[in-house]
Amino acid sequence: MMMLGLGSVGLVLLSLAVQSGHGAQDSAVWSREETTERNYYTRYHNMSEITAWMEQMKRENPDVVSSMVYGQTYERRNITLLKIGLSSTVRKKAIWMDCGIHAREWIAPAFCQYFVREILRTYKTDTKVNEMMKNLDFYITPVLNVDGYIYSWHNESTRLWRKSRSPGTGGCTCYGTDLNRNFYANWGMVGVSTDCCNLFYCGTKALSESEAWAVTDMLGKMREDILAFLTIHSYGQQLLVPYGHPNTSAPNHDELMEVGLGAAMAIKAVHGMDYTVGTSPDILYPFLGSSQDFARLIGIPLSFTFELRDKGEHGFELPEDQIQPTCEEAYAGAQHIITYTHDKAFYSYAATVTATLWTTLLAAWVSSAILL
Amino acid sequence: MDGLLFSDLTVWSMDWTLLILLVVPTVVHGNPTVTVRTGSGPPVGSNQHPNSVPLSEDTQTTTEVREVVVEEVMMTGMLNPSHYPARRAATVVQHYLNTRYGSPYRWIFLSKVHSGSAEDVAEMRKYQLELTMQEIISNVSGQCSAELLFPGGEGQSAPQVQASCEGLLQSNTTAQEEAFYQQHRASNNMVSGNDIPDSYGHMEPNMKPFWHLGGVASSFIMLRESNESTLYNMAQVANFTQLETEKDQLRVNYHVLLHEMISQEIIHWKLLVTWSPEQGVQVLQTELQPKCHNCEAPPNTTN
């Protein structure tokens, strides 16, 4: 009991000390240990916290949230997604979102957490979100590169790690493959390096990394059902559309640009932030072997990479007081894409069906009039 | 006959309508097939021989390695303001402006590219840009016109920049700079700090001017190292140590981490910086820190 008392006194003192360093907006005592709803989504969380949070989401929303372990990292950790949607007797269409393919981009997993919380918070009261939860399942991977993410939490000197944590081969002693160069999408051709020390090391072969393999496997199994693929990164404030090769356009490039520009407008409406939209070769640099390109190549029509805040002032180390506004604007952008995807699949189909049926009816009426 | 026909038809069409009305709801909420499936993009996993570019000198392995880079075609003429050539050149202008006007209370970032053009001039590449820049401490924005020359040929010399801005330097930083200068010029309390910002993006308020100063000082390096294939930002002040004031200049040793976006590399530099309100920021020494491949923490770090 005394230990508890001392512990809580210590906690209060610690939190008072910490508060001055964090520049907290409100004057209430603020502690890193607090898991109250109000503070949770304005902080970065390590892997065990995110794992616990996934369990909590399932526990609190058992009728709409389930989880799936769909692969293992190099260091044999689970790669887990949350499947979120109203249950249905028929097979449903899906939206795929993954965060944290690059370890140092901490705002990305924070956004996945925010996104999950937001749809769970609003699906009962917001008719549009409810409709989408009914018609779609959301497959959300809060942290894809689990090993890399954990490594980036190790200490200050590892904070800016990017790649996976598989060891180099053939006499090359550095660690890690760039997971976003390891996909079977014109692997190894452009914007990569065969030097295992390089930040763009694409691996010994396509899908040499178990993390990339896990995503490939899932997407392959679900390819008939996935309507949109979103992969979340930072920084740069951009929305990238396929392909990463400078001389190749996706067959629905115009649609991708239109939806992307709509999403950028939705983002800007929230906090005034500008997000640039384009193919990677146009607005960033060319590269192949990305998950986004792979998704498009296997037929998922809408495939976007989000590069969240900022534009270089803090870079990867985005302050926690920017997590909420960043997530709010990114959510608006994602919802624009998802709503478009949903409505295109469900409303234009309905319009087609109705038109077909009325045409059939009319034809039948006319033909029977002629016959009779 | 007609009357019978009409009523038969009515009943018949009503039956059909009823049937359709019953069928439509179930069909509409079922599983539509999505139309766009065929992609006519590049063949998956093709065996085309990649373009390759010769090794860069700083590779440390003995096995043959390749940087597989598409030779970027140098844009000439009007530039798309949202495409990378204009953005990279505009960032160089940002670095230039910080070397000229930056201070512990003045730090400038690119806000928007409005228009730009590029042309080949002798061996060099000349850019002209219309930009909005923002001073991020006071949040004041200004319009800038800039001209850059990237040198051609083998020699890696710095780009030359000329820029004129309107309204950007409006904020009155005199009082803050003077206070900061007076606070730190005395020898009895040398300041130092590390990991600014920290992993969570946080920093103590009294570290902020040193962070700004580190960013401005880094701009000297970033300007010097920039070319059409780079995009630099300062990622972090790893540490800084204030030294004795000399000749009325505050003196600070910095270890900074620069993030180069096109290679995604984190590049370590040490620099010796002086500053005073009158003299502005000067960088006396810079030293590139070697990349330490074998300094990585062992694997299997526990969470």
Side-chain angles (χ1 to χ4, degrees):
Chain A
M1 279 306 286
M2 179 141 122
M3 290 302 289
L4 266 176
L6 283 173
S8 50
V9 167
L11 204 63
V12 170
L13 288 173
L14 174 68
S15 63
L16 283 170
V18 154
Q19 184 203 353
S20 56
H22 285 274
Q25 263 85 11
D26 45 24
S27 55
V29 168
W30 183 95
S31 157
R32 294 215 109 250
E33 274 67 37
E34 259 180 37
T35 50
T36 56
E37 165 75 22
R38 187 172 58 94
N39 284 330
Y40 186 87
Y41 296 93
T42 59
R43 285 184 285 130
Y44 295 116
H45 296 284
N46 64 28
M47 197 61 221
S48 60
E49 288 171 349
I50 293 178
T51 305
W53 168 86
M54 283 197 267
E55 291 303 309
Q56 186 185 347
M57 293 300 104
K58 281 162 57 183
R59 242 183 0 254
E60 291 175 357
N61 307 273
D63 43 343
V64 292
V65 181
S66 60
S67 70
M68 201 186 292
V69 174
Y70 65 99
Q72 301 270 294
T73 63
Y74 175 78
E75 290 173 354
R76 299 221 214 286
R77 298 188 175 94
N78 285 342
I79 305 172
T80 313
L81 61 77
L82 291 176
K83 177 184 168 187
I84 305 175
L86 289 162
S87 59
S88 161
T89 46
V90 298
R91 202 168 112 195
K92 292 171 73 180
K93 292 294 170 184
I95 304 287
W96 174 278
M97 185 186 296
D98 65 71
C99 296
I101 193 171
H102 289 140
R104 58 194 180 194
E105 300 165 11
W106 285 13
I107 186 61
F111 173 66
C112 266
Q113 290 190 282
Y114 178 94
F115 184 91
V116 165
R117 193 280 302 261
E118 203 54 21
I119 57 176
L120 290 174
R121 191 179 67 84
T122 58
Y123 81 93
K124 284 179 181 161
T125 51
D126 183 315
T127 45
K128 193 64 188 174
V129 177
N130 187 277
E131 184 191 8
M132 295 202 285
M133 287 275 270
K134 210 164 62 174
N135 293 330
L136 301 168
D137 282 332
F138 292 88
Y139 289 75
I140 300 176
T141 303
V143 183
L144 178 53
N145 181 6
V146 182
D147 294 349
Y149 189 68
I150 289 173
Y151 186 70
S152 74
W153 277 79
H154 181 60
N155 61 39
E156 280 290 342
S157 75
T158 63
R159 172 63 176 83
L160 295 174
W161 187 256
R162 169 183 167 89
K163 302 186 285 181
S164 69
R165 289 296 298 165
S166 57
T169 57
C172 184
T173 56
C174 298
Y175 279 81
T177 293
D178 186 342
L179 293 176
N180 209 30
R181 303 288 184 279
N182 192 242
F183 283 79
Y184 199 53
N186 298 286
W187 175 87
M189 287 177 62
V190 170
V192 298
S193 174
T194 56
D195 172 5
C196 91
C197 297
N198 193 284
L199 277 281
F200 292 139
Y201 178 54
C202 53
T204 49
K205 56 178 182 176
L207 303 180
S208 59
E209 305 305 292
S210 53
E211 296 87 345
W213 168 247
V215 173
T216 299
D217 194 38
M218 277 301 285
L219 293 184
K221 284 175 182 149
M222 295 173 57
R223 59 188 278 189
E224 291 300 310
D225 300 327
I226 303 181
L227 300 178
F229 174 91
L230 306 180
T231 181
I232 315 297
H233 293 240
S234 78
Y235 60 93
Q237 292 178 212
Q238 296 168 320
L239 293 177
L240 304 176
V241 304
Y243 290 112
H245 192 287
N247 300 330
T248 320
S249 294
N252 62 333
H253 174 80
D254 289 347
E255 180 189 31
L256 285 162
M257 284 302 293
E258 194 185 312
V259 177
L261 287 164
M265 269 177 52
I267 290 173
K268 190 171 168 101
V270 182
H271 295 298
M273 287 298 177
D274 286 310
Y275 276 61
T276 312
V277 183
T279 66
S280 194
D282 280 343
I283 67 173
L284 188 56
Y285 43 62
F287 68 100
L288 295 180
S290 68
S291 62
Q292 161 181 38
D293 279 8
F294 175 71
R296 185 63 198 94
L297 283 168
I298 60 167
I300 297 168
L302 290 150
S303 179
F304 290 90
T305 299
F306 278 58
E307 295 279 359
L308 301 180
R309 287 195 197 181
D310 57 21
K311 294 214 274 192
E313 191 187 319
H314 293 86
F316 301 114
E317 293 176 325
L318 192 70
E320 287 181 308
D321 64 17
Q322 285 198 46
I323 294 179
Q324 175 140 353
T326 304
C327 288
E328 285 166 350
E329 68 201 16
Y331 183 79
Q335 282 298 56
H336 178 90
I337 295 168
I338 293 166
T339 305
Y340 170 88
T341 306
H342 168 273
D343 290 355
K344 180 182 174 187
F346 292 92
Y347 284 120
S348 60
Y349 179 74
T352 310
V353 164
T354 312
T356 312
L357 284 171
W358 282 113
T359 312
T360 312
L361 173 66
L362 185 66
W365 185 85
V366 166
S367 62
S368 57
I370 293 168
L371 283 174
L372 294 168
Chain B
M1 263 296 266
D2 284 3
L4 194 64
L5 177 67
F6 179 78
S7 64
D8 277 353
L9 204 57
T10 311
V11 168
W12 175 84
S13 60
M14 270 171 62
D15 285 343
W16 268 106
T17 311
L18 202 59
L19 180 65
I20 288 162
L21 283 173
L22 285 171
V23 163
V24 163
T26 48
V27 170
V28 163
H29 294 290
N31 286 309
T33 53
V34 178
T35 48
V36 180
R37 274 294 172 234
T38 54
S40 57
V44 174
S46 89
N47 291 323
Q48 291 165 26
H49 188 71
N51 291 335
S52 62
V53 162
L55 283 179
S56 50
E57 315 86 76
D58 59 351
T59 317
Q60 294 184 18
T61 59
T62 51
T63 56
E64 192 203 312
V65 297
R66 306 194 312 276
E67 303 289 327
V68 187
V69 176
V70 163
E71 228 171 77
E72 290 178 337
V73 174
M74 294 307 185
M75 293 294 307
T76 304
M78 292 306 293
L79 299 175
N80 186 322
S82 64
H83 287 191
Y84 74 78
R87 181 164 171 225
R88 290 179 195 175
T91 306
V92 176
V93 176
Q94 171 191 310
H95 299 319
Y96 165 78
L97 289 172
N98 280 313
T99 63
R100 288 297 307 276
Y101 305 112
S103 84
Y105 289 91
R106 185 171 276 146
W107 200 13
I108 296 163
F109 278 83
L110 171 68
S111 187
K112 204 177 172 82
V113 181
H114 296 289
S115 64
S117 64
E119 56 175 325
D120 296 311
V121 174
E123 292 265 303
M124 309 203 278
R125 293 271 300 161
K126 181 170 152 191
Y127 284 76
Q128 281 175 319
L129 299 165
E130 298 296 320
L131 310 164
T132 299
M133 291 288 182
Q134 188 181 34
E135 198 289 295
I136 58 155
I137 301 163
S138 62
N139 264 333
V140 169
S141 291
Q143 303 304 309
C144 300
S145 296
E147 211 174 85
L148 297 94
L149 270 174
F150 286 108
E154 289 302 307
Q156 269 296 12
S157 57
Q160 297 164 42
V161 185
Q162 283 174 343
S164 66
C165 300
E166 265 177 45
L168 182 61
L169 307 176
Q170 272 176 43
S171 62
N172 193 334
T173 56
T174 314
Q176 290 167 299
E177 289 182 10
E178 201 49 46
F180 179 76
Y181 178 64
Q182 294 304 332
Q183 181 188 358
H184 292 291
R185 66 177 301 185
S187 309
N188 55 351
N189 194 12
M190 297 288 107
V191 187
S192 63
N194 53 272
D195 304 315
I196 305 162
D198 69 10
S199 293
Y200 311 99
H202 295 300
M203 66 188 78
E204 297 285 322
N206 64 343
M207 292 286 108
K208 269 200 170 172
F210 289 100
W211 176 53
H212 302 149
L213 180 59
V216 170
S218 295
S219 301
F220 285 80
I221 299 173
M222 297 193 285
L223 174 63
R224 194 180 69 201
E225 300 292 311
S226 286
N227 57 50
E228 286 167 287
S229 300
T230 60
L231 185 71
Y232 279 101
N233 285 299
M234 181 182 75
Q236 191 192 47
V237 171
N239 62 63
F240 77 88
T241 312
Q242 189 188 357
L243 307 173
E244 294 269 330
T245 300
E246 239 177 60
K247 298 180 192 167
D248 292 326
Q249 306 299 303
L250 298 189
R251 283 166 31 109
V252 188
N253 257 337
Y254 274 93
H255 180 154
V256 297
L257 307 181
L258 304 184
H259 175 231
E260 200 291 291
M261 182 77 87
I262 314 308
S263 64
Q264 289 292 348
E265 290 282 348
I266 302 294
I267 307 166
H268 295 239
W269 284 87
K270 284 193 169 164
L271 35 162
L272 177 58
V273 183
T274 67
W275 176 77
S276 71
E278 295 86 40
Q279 301 283 0
V281 178
Q282 305 206 355
V283 174
L284 303 187
Q285 286 171 35
T286 64
E287 193 183 294
L288 174 65
Q289 301 302 293
K291 188 172 170 181
C292 183
H293 290 317
N294 297 317
C295 294
E296 302 182 358
N300 301 323
T301 54
T302 52
N303 190 19

